[in-house]
Amino acid sequence: MDNISSLIKEAKPLYFARKRRRNIVKSTSVLLCLLCVGFAAYSPTTSDVYSYYWDSEFSVSDNVSVIEEMGLPTDEYGLLLVG
């Protein structure tokens, strides 16, 4: 019985130290996530304009196909026409 109680006394501070460290890691990660979300919410947003390596810009809209805006042949669904 003395062996078990001595083991418990030895392990008790280690258990609570690990528990404290785990709580610190959890709270820090939650705080960082909240900060990232906060910065993302207040950061300036850009419009949906994409620029490719040939320096032509086109916007993404609901009615016009991006492929059609690039000047490529498209079918009636706005998909790339092959052949």
Side-chain angles (χ1 to χ4, degrees), residues 34-51:
L34 290 176
L35 284 174
C36 288
V37 168
F39 284 134
Y42 292 111
S43 67
T45 58
T46 59
S47 62
D48 294 333
V49 175
Y50 300 95
S51 178

Side-chain angles (χ1 to χ4, degrees), residues 65-74:
S65 170
V66 175
I67 299 170
E68 187 176 357
E69 281 191 20
M70 291 171 60
L72 298 171
T74 59

Side-chain angles (χ1 to χ4, degrees), residues 6-56:
S6 66
L7 286 175
I8 291 174
K9 286 180 184 178
E10 184 180 340
K12 189 175 180 180
L14 298 174
Y15 171 77
F16 285 117
R18 181 181 290 172
K19 188 175 180 181
R20 226 177 299 120
R21 186 172 47 246
R22 192 174 297 142
N23 286 339
I24 290 171
V25 168
K26 284 180 187 177
S27 61
T28 305
S29 63
V30 167
L31 181 65
L32 284 175
C33 286
L34 290 176
L35 284 174
C36 288
V37 168
F39 284 134
Y42 292 111
S43 67
T45 58
T46 59
S47 62
D48 294 333
V49 175
Y50 300 95
S51 178
Y52 283 95
Y53 59 88
W54 57 80
D55 293 333
S56 67

